[in-house]
Amino acid sequence: MTSRSEYFLKLPEVQSKEMPMLDAAFQVRTAQTEDASLLAQLMVDAYRGTIDYDGETFDDALSEVNSFLAGERGGSPWLDLSFLAFDNSDLVGACLIGEWRERQSPIIAYLMTNANWKNRGVGRQLLLLGLKALIEKGFKEARAVITDGNKPSESVFLKFGFQKVKT
């Protein structure tokens, strides 16, 4: 079984970060429950060939997304604080935020980028939008859980000041 680690961020530290340049080729909006199929397809595409891919099919991903949207992953989804990036009608990235009931904290539940859009700042832009939305709502912290060895995800989160929680 793949091990995962928890990461923690004090949100006021994010306020001083500058917004990365927004790629003019994509548009951003908040997530909606109707996006489940698009999110499932993005999940398969984003994870395929990475440390987080275990051969999941579209149906597996759709089940995962629907479980998140139904609040079955440890807390309610906060779609008004979750952001999607589109290239025309194609979903190219997502930052899904929800409640981590056990920690009484927001969690960055999923940060996904379409394989063709990786390393273009989409994930960083969406994560920053989500963190700033959490700050605007008055939250003081955020958390994430990252698969150990997922260097691209670790790098993005560490750049924003997330720190690995010592266990």
Side-chain angles (χ1 to χ4, degrees):
M1 175 156 183
T2 306
S3 63
R4 293 179 170 83
S5 295
E6 181 179 339
Y7 289 75
F8 175 83
L9 174 68
K10 291 182 181 177
L11 285 172
E13 296 173 7
V14 175
Q15 290 180 359
S16 63
K17 298 230 182 258
E18 290 196 27
M19 182 73 75
M21 290 299 294
L22 186 65
D23 186 325
F26 68 85
Q27 306 80 40
V28 175
R29 70 164 168 81
T30 55
Q32 303 168 8
T33 56
E34 295 81 16
D35 295 319
S37 290
L38 291 173
L39 287 165
Q41 187 58 52
L42 176 64
M43 183 177 284
V44 170
D45 179 71
Y47 291 178
R48 185 179 290 124
T50 72
I51 197 168
D52 285 316
Y53 186 65
D54 290 322
E56 294 89 349
T57 65
F58 171 81
D59 289 338
D60 296 330
L62 185 59
S63 176
E64 175 79 14
V65 168
N66 283 329
S67 292
F68 169 76
L69 293 172
E72 297 169 357
R73 290 284 184 249
S76 302
W78 294 341
L79 300 184
D80 61 325
L81 305 176
S82 298
F83 294 91
L84 308 180
F86 287 88
D87 175 29
N88 296 313
S89 62
D90 296 327
L91 181 61
V92 298
C95 177
L96 302 180
I97 298 176
E99 166 194 28
W100 189 349
R101 195 174 304 120
E102 181 182 326
R103 296 280 194 267
Q104 298 181 336
S105 173
I107 184 170
I108 311 305
Y110 302 95
L111 184 62
M112 307 176 283
T113 304
N114 175 289
N116 295 326
W117 283 77
K118 289 186 180 190
N119 300 311
R120 292 174 63 181
V122 176
R124 287 188 309 274
Q125 177 73 36
L126 294 173
L127 179 56
L128 185 56
L129 288 170
L131 295 174
K132 287 188 178 238
L134 288 169
I135 290 167
E136 288 174 14
K137 291 284 186 179
F139 289 100
K140 304 292 185 217
E141 66 180 51
R143 296 176 185 265
V145 175
I146 302 172
T147 302
D148 293 335
N150 183 338
K151 299 299 182 198
S153 288
E154 290 170 347
S155 175
V156 169
F157 282 86
L158 291 172
K159 283 179 185 173
F160 280 98
F162 278 83
Q163 299 199 356
K164 194 173 190 176
V165 174
K166 305 291 184 214
T167 54

